[in-house]
Amino acid sequence: METERRNELPYSNMDGAVPGSLVSGGALPVNWAVSGIAQSALTVENVSLVNGLPNLRLRVSGTLQGTMYVFLSSATSIPASVAETWSLSLWAGLASGSMTNVSDISLHASGWTSGAGYVSGSPFSGLDFSTVLSANPVLFECQGSLSGAQTECIRPALRLAASGEIDLTLDLLMPNATDGKRAFAGLPTSAISAQQSAENIVITGIAPATYDVVVRSEALGESVRSNEQVTDAYWPKGVSDDIVRSVCFYPPGTQ
């Protein structure tokens, strides 16, 4: 269960992607772009649904020209301000190939002006997840804030660093960018951002009483609240900006 969130990243449903080499008719989703490698090294192998999420299968086969960035939006698609907290998330998997010569794959964001000017010193990045990629796509997240007084927009990207020639095929599913403390599992967007309403539970038909309540959430882990007063429409306090996995009620003194 998640609180109210907005995916500010347009075209997370992979609109505009066309299978094929980028130099012979293939195309990335609308607003996506790549730097740091020749277009001839990139092939959109297919666009499909994986576990219900839109997936872009992208083959990268060539030699990097420095660090490669798969930009997930245009430079001016997403308004942002300096020091705002942003959360990024992306399902990613290694469909084929290997991590030979790859030293880093991570989520990344940079600051840009409204005139599409890059703001030096603005970016933040997440931890390298290249060592844990597998055939089964997994959700990766990062959180940070942009620097640079000129920052007016945020541009999320997938960052890939390598030395020498590489050949790998990545599954990239349902990217998200949200102005807040937590990313989330996936919210499809087309040309504009999309809002997700809060997913709250309502407990009905329970007599007002005290219980031991065990709450399991992503940020806080498991917490036990002893002798908590519970009535209809109960929601555990202190987890309003978290992803809640379960709420369990027990007779007092049993937990």
Side-chain angles (χ1 to χ4, degrees):
M1 295 169 289
E2 300 174 339
T3 54
E4 182 179 278
R5 304 179 190 280
R6 178 177 291 276
N7 185 6
E8 301 289 355
L9 188 68
Y11 300 109
S12 67
N13 59 3
M14 307 302 176
D15 275 355
V18 178
S21 168
L22 295 196
V23 294
S24 59
L28 295 169
V30 178
N31 284 348
W32 286 37
V34 174
S35 69
I37 198 167
Q39 296 286 292
S40 58
L42 300 171
T43 300
V44 175
E45 296 219 327
N46 64 56
V47 183
S48 63
L49 288 178
V50 174
N51 297 330
L53 301 179
N55 173 53
L56 179 84
R57 179 162 288 182
L58 180 67
R59 184 182 181 189
V60 184
S61 180
T63 302
L64 267 63
Q65 303 160 0
T67 301
M68 172 182 164
Y69 293 92
V70 181
F71 292 105
L72 307 176
S73 74
S74 71
T76 58
S77 297
I78 311 173
S81 301
V82 175
E84 285 180 336
T85 298
W86 280 86
S87 293
L88 312 177
S89 67
L90 172 76
W91 294 83
L94 180 64
S96 63
S98 73
M99 290 295 168
T100 300
N101 294 332
V102 175
S103 59
D104 178 277
I105 298 179
S106 56
L107 288 169
H108 175 92
S110 51
W112 294 71
T113 68
S114 58
Y118 172 72
V119 179
S120 179
S122 62
F124 68 86
S125 294
L127 295 175
D128 170 32
F129 55 78
S130 62
T131 59
V132 295
L133 279 179
S134 66
N136 184 39
V138 175
L139 180 66
F140 297 100
E141 302 177 64
C142 83
Q143 179 180 308
S145 58
L146 300 168
S147 302
Q150 297 79 29
T151 295
E152 298 172 292
C153 302
I154 184 173
R155 194 178 195 187
L158 183 70
R159 178 183 183 272
L160 194 155
S163 58
E165 190 171 354
I166 62 173
D167 189 356
L168 69 161
T169 301
L170 298 171
D171 282 333
L172 306 175
L173 299 82
M174 191 64 75
N176 287 265
T178 184
D179 177 5
K181 296 180 180 179
R182 293 288 300 179
F184 45 88
L187 182 61
T189 58
S190 52
I192 59 175
S193 60
Q195 179 75 34
Q196 172 183 287
S197 299
E199 298 174 323
N200 290 339
I201 56 171
V202 177
I203 308 299
T204 60
I206 191 170
T210 57
Y211 295 85
D212 289 345
V213 183
V214 178
V215 180
R216 296 178 180 88
S217 65
E218 289 206 351
L220 302 177
E222 181 174 296
S223 61
V224 179
R225 298 133 191 274
S226 299
N227 295 313
E228 181 122 318
Q229 182 69 33
V230 175
T231 60
D232 284 2
Y234 168 82
W235 181 255
K237 297 177 181 178
V239 291
S240 60
D241 194 40
D242 197 4
I243 297 176
V244 176
R245 294 301 184 192
S246 65
V247 182
C248 300
F249 302 90
Y250 299 88
T254 62
Q255 289 294 307

